[in-house]
Amino acid sequence: MTGTSSTEDAIVEMLTSYHELNGGHVDELETTPSPLLLMQYIAKNRPFVLRGGATNWPATSLWDPAYLAMKMGNSNVKVAITPSGNADSPVRNSTDGRVYFTKPLEIEEPFDDFLTQIRQQEVEETSSTEVKYSQAQDDNLRGEYSQLYPDVPEDVRWATDCLGAPDAVNVWIGNGRSTTALHKDNYENIYCQIRGKKRFVLLPSVETPCVNIRFLPQAIYTRLRGSNSSLALSPESPSEDIPWPVWDPDRPGEEQTRFSRLSIPLHVELGPGDMLYLPALWYHKVSQECLEDRISVSVNYWYDMSFAGSLYATNAFITNISKLSNE
Amino acid sequence: MTGTSSTEDAIVEMLTSYHELNGGHVDELETTPSPLLLMQYIAKNRPFVLRGGATNWPATSLWDPAYLAMKMGNSNVKVAITPSGNADSPVRNSTDGRVYFTKPLEIEEPFDDFLTQIRQQEVEETSSTEVKYSQAQDDNLRGEYSQLYPDVPEDVRWATDCLGAPDAVNVWIGNGRSTTALHKDNYENIYCQIRGKKRFVLLPSVETPCVNIRFLPQAIYTRLRGSNSSLALSPESPSEDIPWPVWDPDRPGEEQTRFSRLSIPLHVELGPGDMLYLPALWYHKVSQECLEDRISVSVNYWYDMSFAGSLYATNAFITNISKLSNE
């Protein structure tokens, strides 16, 4: 160690050293992990995949469209609507040229109507229509989807033995049009694929210098002129700017920082029955694909992350230093 | 989160946030931890004390001076000699005024002679004589002290179940004159007090901006004019500078950085039979006190730390950034 001569050098050395020490891959476990093994991954803040970890859940065999429609019927569910499947993402407003953190229009509608529409859209040739995604992330599998909750375990036993009971259990239902933009969560996440496929692009938390965190004003999609008009981006006022990554690892030449080239994105594809441990504070972009039944369904368990220790405080530090360096 | 406007602000925010999230105390466990509980502390990179964790070890009752002398006899052991009990510490050289990282004079001598001298020194009124400390840290309890090894467990079961077999098992024998200067190790450390008391001043790894890391030239204590002369500090040549903390939490007004005032040193005292989990990369200063038998004896187990994950790389980053900020 000889020290580094600038902040930029120090960031480069951190990213290079991190990748040398960790490699560019996601471990695949052969068997269900013990709580101790999960804790070892949490300590390293590194992900793993458990193929077939949810294969034996009733949901994995039961949740075809007919069963879902039968169980949920015309119960109202919250549905996010966006022009192109881009919920909670940075969007440039054509009116003023500024980039906004843009939330979807959120409506409530009968589940069976929603299900019919997303499945119909999967076989349409054009992509002109708006995209719907049930992605409320508010513990909805124990709330508005509680009729389906008996078909999954109350928790992931090896995770609960390690971390305590889950804070939220969410179900995600959509089609191949939806993509969740790169972001991070303050949760340890056990992500379980039930129907269709999910593709993750994962970046470790130390790569915050690469993702171009910007403080964005907020906007929301609205229908300005009644229920049949198209969606328009409406800046919120007053609005508190929120920090958000604007770099997209799938378009690495756009919106990059001087450190983006040092990112090593990890790619994970989950099929029906597969599980992913997605560590707290990892950036992730998520897209999906439907199989023959034309739906993509996932369940995730959010467990509280530890704010004690050094991970949270040092991650904020790296974010602050890289923001100064990128200015 | 609104971001910070300077590197200095970012460091202050990190230290303040870390302390808010972690509090200024060391947990004391009531019972032997499970491997999972240890891993939770490793994940947080936070220490704990297990009072009486080694009370039932044969060593704790057997290792009085007579027993040690009987078992070791006149076997040669490595002994560190310093003018005032300051092995491996920053010392200002009176000749050239520079601060050197100074290693002790290391000799080999018969154990019974060594033991007699350190016990004799404990009852001397003056402190004019040199200080001896058996502190080889080279797996010596399985090496030159192997006659004593059967009196302790081969490993700490709950630590080995979590981390694999220990990399080194060290015994430390000295008197109240020795103090180990503030430093950190790339090991997970299970520290066990056998005789006398040990006092730790502990700083979390994120406090590296507080400890004033300097790149010091190296020196070693030598006898320049034969075996009866006093010790003199001899600069090494050629010498590679090594990074070392020069701030002493017990003299907070000297050699401080602008961040030292934000340090919250943790204090732990171990008595006979007590154990400490000392996390990798934590700064620690260690002093000792003898009880009626006039020796201080400790055993520690070094377990490999994980260089994977983000702890190591981010710790080096914080060190580099704080060095730039302190220049």
Side-chain angles (χ1 to χ4, degrees):
Chain A
M1 178 177 163
T2 56
T4 46
S5 58
S6 69
T7 298
E8 184 169 341
D9 284 352
I11 292 172
V12 169
E13 180 177 298
M14 176 186 70
L15 293 169
T16 307
S17 160
Y18 178 86
H19 291 308
E20 283 172 2
L21 292 168
N22 288 280
H25 68 282
V26 176
D27 287 353
E28 300 229 351
L29 303 190
E30 301 282 325
T31 56
T32 302
S34 63
L36 175 60
L37 186 62
L38 172 61
M39 200 68 223
Q40 288 167 332
Y41 278 91
I42 291 171
K44 289 189 291 189
N45 193 236
R46 294 286 299 183
F48 64 78
V49 167
L50 179 64
R51 296 279 170 219
T55 300
N56 295 326
W57 293 8
T60 309
S61 46
L62 289 174
W63 287 7
D64 59 28
Y67 179 89
L68 293 174
M70 183 266 290
K71 280 283 180 179
M72 291 294 298
N74 61 0
S75 307
N76 266 357
V77 295
K78 285 187 280 295
V79 173
I81 310 181
T82 53
S84 56
N86 55 320
D88 291 344
S89 63
V91 177
R92 190 173 298 277
N93 184 3
S94 58
T95 310
D96 62 9
R98 295 179 71 190
V99 175
Y100 288 84
F101 170 75
T102 307
K103 291 169 280 190
L105 173 65
E106 206 172 84
I107 64 164
E108 293 212 356
E109 69 178 357
F111 178 81
D112 45 14
D113 288 353
F114 160 72
L115 185 66
T116 301
Q117 288 172 63
I118 59 168
R119 296 188 67 225
Q120 176 61 31
Q121 192 178 43
E122 265 293 297
V123 290
E124 285 171 358
E125 301 265 319
T126 63
S127 60
S128 60
T129 48
E130 294 167 355
V131 178
K132 292 186 172 182
Y133 194 12
S134 175
Q135 50 121 41
Q137 306 165 59
D138 60 355
D139 203 24
N140 62 350
L141 190 50
R142 299 192 289 200
E144 63 191 17
Y145 283 98
S146 60
Q147 299 95 308
L148 298 175
Y149 184 47
D151 299 334
V152 302
E154 285 188 6
D155 58 9
V156 178
R157 176 52 44 192
W158 41 271
T160 298
D161 286 347
C162 185
L163 294 165
D167 196 56
V169 185
N170 302 309
V171 61
W172 310 68
I173 302 177
N175 62 24
R177 296 280 181 83
S178 284
T179 295
T180 304
L182 195 71
H183 70 287
K184 65 177 177 176
D185 299 308
N186 290 341
Y187 282 105
E188 305 291 359
N189 196 343
I190 306 291
Y191 204 96
C192 315
Q193 190 62 7
I194 307 296
R195 293 268 153 168
K197 294 181 177 179
K198 220 93 179 189
R199 292 202 181 87
F200 291 80
V201 184
L202 302 173
L203 310 184
S205 56
V206 298
E207 284 193 8
T208 184
C210 310
V211 302
N212 203 359
I213 304 287
R214 297 255 298 277
F215 285 81
L216 301 180
Q218 299 188 55
I220 189 165
Y221 284 117
T222 52
R223 297 200 196 282
L224 293 179
R225 295 171 303 277
S227 62
N228 291 321
S229 73
S230 60
L231 290 175
L233 186 151
S234 300
E236 292 192 335
S237 178
S239 164
E240 191 183 354
D241 289 359
I242 66 164
W244 202 262
V246 299
W247 185 63
D248 180 345
D250 293 326
R251 298 174 173 215
E254 300 171 21
E255 300 282 2
Q256 77 259 47
T257 72
R258 70 186 84 174
F259 307 108
S260 300
R261 64 184 172 83
L262 297 172
S263 169
I264 302 181
L266 304 180
H267 297 268
V268 169
E269 181 177 290
L270 300 185
D274 291 341
M275 297 170 81
L276 167 69
Y277 162 57
L278 172 53
L281 304 184
W282 272 54
Y283 294 98
H284 50 290
K285 176 183 177 179
V286 192
S287 55
Q288 46 196 347
E289 182 187 326
C290 298
L291 300 174
E292 58 280 357
D293 54 12
R294 291 183 272 145
I295 51 169
S296 175
V297 184
S298 314
V299 169
N300 89 291
Y301 296 77
W302 265 339
Y303 287 87
D304 285 335
M305 71 170 284
S306 172
F307 290 90
S310 58
L311 179 68
Y312 187 81
T314 59
N315 189 259
F317 176 68
I318 296 167
T319 303
N320 283 326
I321 294 292
S322 57
K323 184 167 173 297
L324 291 169
S325 181
N326 283 327
E327 271 168 357
Chain B
M1 177 176 165
T2 56
T4 46
S5 58
S6 69
T7 298
E8 184 170 339
D9 284 353
I11 293 173
V12 169
E13 181 177 295
M14 176 185 70
L15 293 170
T16 307
S17 160
Y18 178 85
H19 290 307
E20 283 173 2
L21 292 168
N22 288 280
H25 69 283
V26 176
D27 287 353
E28 301 229 350
L29 303 190
E30 302 281 326
T31 56
T32 301
S34 64
L36 175 60
L37 186 61
L38 173 61
M39 200 68 224
Q40 288 168 331
Y41 278 90
I42 291 171
K44 288 188 292 187
N45 194 234
R46 293 287 298 183
F48 63 77
V49 167
L50 180 63
R51 296 278 170 219
T55 299
N56 294 328
W57 294 8
T60 309
S61 44
L62 289 174
W63 287 7
D64 57 30
Y67 180 89
L68 294 175
M70 183 266 291
K71 280 282 180 181
M72 292 294 298
N74 62 358
S75 307
N76 266 358
V77 294
K78 285 188 279 295
V79 173
I81 311 182
T82 52
S84 56
N86 54 318
D88 291 345
S89 63
V91 176
R92 190 174 297 278
N93 183 4
S94 57
T95 310
D96 63 7
R98 294 180 71 190
V99 174
Y100 288 83
F101 171 74
T102 307
K103 291 171 278 192
L105 173 65
E106 206 171 83
I107 64 164
E108 294 212 354
E109 70 177 356
F111 178 81
D112 43 14
D113 289 353
F114 160 72
L115 186 65
T116 301
Q117 288 171 62
I118 58 168
R119 296 189 66 227
Q120 176 61 30
Q121 192 178 45
E122 265 294 297
V123 289
E124 286 171 357
E125 300 266 319
T126 63
S127 60
S128 60
T129 50
E130 294 166 354
V131 178
K132 293 186 170 182
Y133 194 11
S134 176
Q135 52 121 40
Q137 307 166 57
D138 59 355
D139 203 25
N140 62 349
L141 190 49
R142 300 191 289 200
E144 62 190 19
Y145 283 98
S146 60
Q147 298 97 308
L148 298 175
Y149 184 47
D151 299 334
V152 302
E154 285 187 7
D155 59 7
V156 178
R157 177 52 43 193
W158 41 270
T160 298
D161 286 348
C162 184
L163 294 165
D167 196 55
V169 185
N170 303 310
V171 61
W172 311 67
I173 303 179
N175 62 25
R177 295 280 181 82
S178 285
T179 296
T180 304
L182 195 71
H183 71 287
K184 65 178 177 177
D185 300 307
N186 290 340
Y187 281 105
E188 305 291 358
N189 196 343
I190 307 291
Y191 203 97
C192 314
Q193 190 61 7
I194 306 296
R195 293 267 153 170
K197 294 181 177 179
K198 220 87 178 194
R199 292 202 180 86
F200 291 80
V201 184
L202 302 172
L203 310 183
S205 56
V206 298
E207 284 193 9
T208 186
C210 309
V211 301
N212 203 359
I213 304 286
R214 297 253 299 278
F215 285 81
L216 300 181
Q218 300 188 53
I220 189 165
Y221 284 116
T222 52
R223 297 200 196 284
L224 293 179
R225 295 171 302 278
S227 63
N228 290 320
S229 72
S230 61
L231 290 174
L233 186 150
S234 299
E236 293 190 334
S237 177
S239 164
E240 192 185 351
D241 290 358
I242 66 165
W244 203 261
V246 298
W247 184 63
D248 179 345
D250 293 326
R251 297 174 174 217
E254 301 171 20
E255 301 283 3
Q256 78 260 47
T257 72
R258 70 186 85 174
F259 307 109
S260 300
R261 65 184 171 82
L262 297 172
S263 169
I264 302 181
L266 304 180
H267 296 269
V268 168
E269 182 177 289
L270 300 185
D274 291 342
M275 297 171 81
L276 167 68
Y277 162 58
L278 172 53
L281 304 183
W282 273 55
Y283 293 98
H284 50 291
K285 176 183 177 180
V286 192
S287 55
Q288 44 195 348
E289 182 187 326
C290 298
L291 300 175
E292 58 280 357
D293 55 12
R294 290 184 273 145
I295 51 171
S296 174
V297 184
S298 314
V299 169
N300 89 290
Y301 297 77
W302 265 338
Y303 288 87
D304 285 335
M305 71 169 285
S306 173
F307 290 90
S310 58
L311 179 68
Y312 188 81
T314 59
N315 189 258
F317 176 68
I318 297 167
T319 303
N320 283 326
I321 293 294
S322 57
K323 185 168 172 298
L324 291 169
S325 183
N326 283 327
E327 271 169 357

